[in-house]
Amino acid sequence: MSDDLGLQKLLDDEGFVARILGRTRSGRNRKVLYGPDLPVVLLSGGPGMGKGRLLRCIRSEFGPHVPTAHVDCASARYRDEADQHAETRSEITEVLRGTAAQLGAWEGHGGAISTPRLYAGLAAVAASGRRASTAALVGEVRRHDDLMPSGSFWGGLLNRAARNYAGALAAFVTGPLTAPLITLLVEELLARLSKDGGAALAACYGEYSGAGGQPRQGLLSLGSDFQQGGEPRRYAESFLFRALRDDIEGAYGALGGRMRRVGRPALLLDHADTALGRRLVKPVLEDRETGHHDRLVIFATARRTDGGRFLYRAGDTARDSPGRWLPSEGGLPLWSRPPGGVPGLASPSRGVLLVRMPVLTRDQQEEQTSRLQVRRPDEHASLLPLHGAIRRLTGGRPLSVTRLAEATSLLDSPEGRTAWDLLDVPLSTGDATPGRPVAEILLDALVVRQLPEELPPQQRAHWLDLLTHLSVAHDAECAQSLMRARQAGRDGGLSAYRIAELLEDSGWPHCPRHFIGDLGLRHLLLRRLHHLQPGGAALREDHTLVQDDCRALGDGRPDALFGTVAAHRMHHHLASDGAESVADYLTQSLSTRNTREWCEELLAIAGAPLLGGLGGTDDRRARALGEAPEVAGDARRRLVDRLLHAVWLCEDPTQPPDDAVNGVLKSALDWLSVDAPHGAEVLAHRARDWSGLADSRQPLQPCACTNHIG
């Protein structure tokens, strides 16, 4: 995929990123959005929506013109580094150290950003250990030497002073200590400061809780709080992040910075809805809420459309709601902090601007698909159904569009191929391993590598299997019956209701009619379920489990989605055992049921996925057109059979529209209305309405996961 495909409105010279950073991709200046009070920009969207891709674009294209640091909050690197010396390190200290190193390597306008305030705080933390040897603690302090400014040690202090400070550190290892190392280190550091350096430290650490304006006390308290763990440590960590932002302000606010530095620096936090990401973002929001402003533009990513856990569990009043913007709306987002916030009580969401990641438009999908294909002109017509399948199955999700477009380009001949064929195309992952089916690659990227944060460890190996079985479920009750059967005998199982919460936390949409609320994901899982056992046995078994539960409830009982439990059972029977019994049921109930309710049941039943489309024979078109031989029953039963198969095809999102089948909808309903025992008017109206929807390429039954079709 072209890195900026679908992101142009965000990345263009007059786009949001250029305006909030004050620089374009080509390095030109732009008038900055917003004043000194900046929002944290939260890029929201589920798996495969391009959040990480946007961060990469910002880093690669804007990074040469404004200082930029990138942090993957889901990386195990920071935890591994912290665990090497847990007494004086944490994930936060390692993130901040890595961020400072990236800013210190900046080579653009204004040069590297020095982080002396952060260095002082990290050095105090490194020297605060109580159990390690003096040599080990000094080694931890010296580990941060690369954060010391080059050329001078704090504005105005000569290299000689820095050398003397380094010599004092070495002396601590060989000589007797007259006080705790942290005390000696802080006193030695402060003694070496110039007037400007002392003022900088006083302005920063003098504000530490209980410091009373004294940087010495602030640094000592910082080290002590870090050793306490719990809430004191979290406060110390949040203050270290403030020290880093104060360093950035110092670099921009100094005389040389004002003359040479242009635009705003950026911190890119990928997977910021993890615990580490929330611990980084929350203190920034709290500081800015209380008026401690800085110019660091923070782009953070979250999978939930409402922004993630640290936002949606915050205040729920309109005043506390975050700002929201969809790039497809055009223009630029107008944001300002809502008035009336009470310091310490206001929700942190007031300082957030939620930017919803855009889906690819139809034109952009066509552009991506065409870019990956070089075909003969006579193959163009046979490709169109596959292009339509890509649109229907992906809903514009960028990663899915790209993978399916790559699969289309690898087909030897597109003639007669279906969406299911696309999912089986093997793609190379770029290494020496054989290609894997595109469906497996997508499931790996969208599910296996995107596990919910709160998924219990014992369930991580089973998560994909659980979702695979739930691909046949509709509401939570239907899903719960499957989970009881599939997790029988396993300790620590998950209920369907908990799984629904975890899916939402992972950024997957909700659909009232389908437990797996994303059409593309559901079909990837259905394909996997079909291949779990030979001949699709696992898929049939799951449909049978649901049917058995329906029988236990009683066919005449009402069902919220299907009208009756019998219709719910018939839906799963159609998906696993074929149409004969279903056609019998519909023929019999046409004479006894309310006609309007009968039509709704027909739609609900015929929304079943086709097992035959996963490797069997698909005779639905022949049955719909009345061309199949030996269809049992009288004239009415055969007519109902034709109507059932026509609706089944029209409701199948993996099939291209078929005008001949669409015509059957109207004719069959019209014929039924001629000798219907009751409800002729309803059937006539449905003939008009359904045929109109089919001709417009719209689903016959509105559904949250098929709204993009048409």
Side-chain angles (χ1 to χ4, degrees):
M1 175 182 290
S2 174
D3 272 353
D4 64 353
L5 182 63
L7 303 176
Q8 290 90 342
K9 289 185 178 180
L10 289 164
L11 298 172
D12 285 350
D13 284 358
E14 296 299 330
F16 174 69
V17 175
R19 289 296 306 277
I20 198 170
L21 294 179
R23 299 277 275 181
T24 69
R25 291 193 279 185
S26 59
R28 296 176 181 174
N29 295 346
R30 283 295 179 267
K31 182 179 179 181
V32 294
L33 280 175
Y34 318 128
D37 184 11
L38 288 176
V40 169
V41 179
L42 211 55
L43 307 170
S44 68
M49 283 300 297
K51 303 179 297 299
R53 183 164 58 94
L54 176 57
L55 294 188
R56 290 195 299 272
C57 285
I58 295 174
R59 187 180 189 184
S60 63
E61 301 193 31
F62 292 84
H65 310 295
V66 294
T68 305
H70 178 273
V71 174
D72 183 357
C73 299
S75 172
R77 162 195 167 191
Y78 305 109
R79 169 50 53 195
D80 292 343
E81 291 175 349
D83 287 345
Q84 294 174 21
H85 208 290
E87 191 179 19
T88 56
R89 301 183 197 176
S90 71
E91 286 183 279
I92 297 294
T93 64
E94 299 314 292
V95 167
L96 296 178
R97 185 180 184 281
T99 301
Q102 292 181 62
L103 296 176
W106 165 250
E107 296 179 348
H109 293 288
I113 293 180
S114 300
T115 54
R117 296 165 184 82
L118 177 64
Y119 169 81
L122 290 177
V125 167
S128 67
R130 298 167 181 171
R131 293 184 294 274
S133 66
T134 301
L137 293 179
V138 170
E140 281 295 288
V141 175
R142 295 303 302 266
R143 179 170 170 264
H144 302 304
D145 281 356
D146 57 339
L147 302 185
M148 294 172 61
S150 59
S152 66
F153 186 63
W154 252 308
L157 191 64
L158 300 178
N159 279 333
R160 178 184 176 188
R163 290 195 298 272
N164 290 342
Y165 166 72
L169 288 179
F172 291 150
V173 179
T174 57
L177 297 183
T178 59
L181 179 61
I182 183 175
T183 302
L184 297 175
L185 178 133
V186 169
E187 289 177 347
E188 189 68 33
L189 180 60
L190 294 174
R192 305 292 179 185
L193 291 180
S194 66
K195 180 179 179 181
D196 290 342
L201 268 193
C204 180
Y205 291 100
E207 292 185 0
Y208 197 87
S209 179
Q214 299 299 315
R216 178 183 183 278
Q217 185 58 46
L219 287 166
L220 293 175
S221 296
L222 174 78
S224 176
D225 286 349
F226 191 90
Q227 291 301 314
Q228 292 295 320
E231 190 60 35
R233 174 175 281 200
R234 284 191 286 273
Y235 177 76
E237 290 171 335
S238 68
F239 203 89
L240 287 172
F241 195 5
R242 180 192 289 190
L244 174 60
R245 301 196 312 275
D246 284 352
D247 279 329
I248 293 172
E249 288 302 294
Y252 274 80
L255 179 60
R258 290 196 299 270
M259 294 177 63
R260 299 175 59 202
R261 297 190 186 276
V262 182
R264 290 170 172 151
L267 176 60
L268 313 176
L269 300 178
D270 204 359
H271 303 107
D273 50 357
T274 59
L276 176 58
R278 295 195 300 274
R279 285 164 57 197
L280 285 166
V281 172
K282 185 178 178 182
V284 179
L285 295 172
E286 291 173 343
D287 280 347
R288 292 178 180 179
E289 181 67 39
T290 57
H292 193 97
H293 300 149
D294 60 85
R295 74 188 70 212
L296 181 64
V297 178
I298 298 178
F299 292 96
T301 69
R303 289 180 292 182
R304 285 183 61 114
T305 56
D306 59 4
R309 190 169 304 281
F310 68 97
L311 290 185
Y312 76 80
R313 288 184 177 172
D316 57 1
T317 65
R319 185 183 63 191
D320 290 338
S321 297
R324 299 173 186 271
W325 180 59
L326 278 70
S328 58
E329 294 175 346
L332 293 169
L334 301 175
W335 182 88
S336 62
R337 190 177 301 276
V342 179
L345 298 177
S347 166
S349 59
R350 290 160 43 89
V352 166
L353 175 62
L354 273 172
V355 176
R356 181 74 177 274
M357 291 300 297
V359 298
L360 297 183
T361 65
R362 176 172 295 195
D363 288 344
Q364 289 166 343
Q365 292 178 56
E366 291 289 346
E367 175 188 344
Q368 178 67 354
T369 306
S370 299
R371 187 181 67 83
L372 293 170
Q373 297 174 3
V374 180
R375 293 284 185 178
R376 299 192 311 270
D378 60 337
E379 290 184 317
H380 178 71
S382 59
L383 281 170
L384 294 181
L386 293 179
H387 290 186
I390 292 174
R391 288 197 301 271
R392 291 192 296 273
L393 286 180
T394 65
R397 192 178 296 270
L399 178 63
S400 300
V401 170
T402 298
R403 289 305 191 192
L404 291 180
E406 291 172 352
T408 305
S409 70
L410 294 175
L411 289 173
D412 292 336
S413 173
E415 184 69 34
R417 298 301 186 102
T418 68
W420 296 113
D421 296 325
L422 277 185
L423 298 181
D424 287 327
V425 174
L427 293 184
S428 172
T429 55
D431 52 26
T433 59
R436 291 191 298 155
V438 64
E440 294 180 12
I441 293 174
L442 282 172
L443 283 176
D444 186 60
L446 299 175
V447 177
V448 177
R449 299 182 186 178
Q450 302 269 356
L451 296 178
E453 181 187 5
E454 294 190 355
L455 184 66
Q458 66 271 24
Q459 293 291 346
R460 291 181 175 266
H462 306 295
W463 180 243
L464 180 57
D465 285 338
L466 293 180
L467 297 188
T468 298
H469 290 295
L470 289 173
S471 61
V472 305
H474 295 275
D475 57 14
E477 290 184 12
C478 179
Q480 184 71 351
S481 67
L482 284 169
M483 287 299 93
R484 281 194 299 267
R486 290 303 182 183
Q487 296 182 113
R490 183 188 300 170
D491 293 334
L494 292 170
S495 73
Y497 303 93
R498 181 60 181 138
I499 292 174
E501 292 177 344
L502 294 173
L503 281 170
E504 187 177 10
D505 282 350
S506 300
W508 291 107
H510 171 71
C511 175
R513 300 196 62 85
H514 298 93
F515 188 83
I516 302 296
D518 182 85
L519 177 65
L521 176 62
R522 187 164 66 250
H523 280 78
L524 291 174
L525 294 169
L526 280 170
R527 176 196 172 277
R528 183 174 186 270
L529 181 58
H530 178 261
H531 289 297
L532 279 183
Q533 295 178 14
L539 181 60
R540 284 192 175 89
E541 185 178 340
D542 282 339
H543 282 298
T544 301
L545 285 170
V546 178
Q547 290 183 69
D548 291 344
D549 274 7
C550 289
R551 287 191 186 94
L553 291 173
D555 279 355
R557 185 171 171 176
D559 185 282
L561 296 181
F562 292 85
T564 63
V565 170
H568 193 163
R569 182 167 61 84
M570 286 294 105
H571 171 96
H572 291 280
H573 185 93
L574 182 64
S576 59
D577 297 302
E580 299 304 327
S581 295
V582 178
D584 290 340
Y585 167 81
L586 289 169
T587 303
Q588 294 166 9
S589 61
L590 179 61
S591 301
T592 59
R593 294 293 308 282
N594 174 285
T595 308
R596 193 179 306 276
E597 294 174 352
W598 184 87
C599 290
E600 296 305 316
E601 279 196 359
L602 169 61
L603 279 184
I605 292 171
L610 174 65
L611 181 63
L614 296 170
T617 301
D618 185 0
D619 65 348
R620 289 177 299 175
R621 190 174 191 275
R623 295 281 287 264
L625 298 179
E627 298 172 353
E630 300 178 358
V631 175
D634 58 16
R636 177 180 290 185
R637 200 270 186 191
R638 292 196 298 272
L639 192 55
V640 169
D641 186 87
R642 292 187 63 187
L643 177 61
L644 169 63
H645 285 85
V647 175
W648 197 3
L649 277 172
C650 288
E651 289 295 86
D652 186 350
T654 68
Q655 295 286 330
D658 188 320
D659 291 336
V661 172
N662 295 350
V664 173
L665 284 178
K666 189 174 190 309
S667 60
L669 285 165
D670 280 339
W671 292 337
L672 281 177
S673 69
V674 171
D675 64 343
H678 52 79
E681 180 183 10
V682 172
L683 293 172
H685 287 167
R686 288 295 185 274
R688 178 195 61 198
D689 296 342
W690 289 1
S691 62
L693 288 170
D695 289 341
S696 300
R697 309 308 195 238
Q698 298 287 332
L700 305 185
Q701 186 173 55
C703 180
C705 61
T706 57
N707 283 338
H708 63 281
I709 296 177

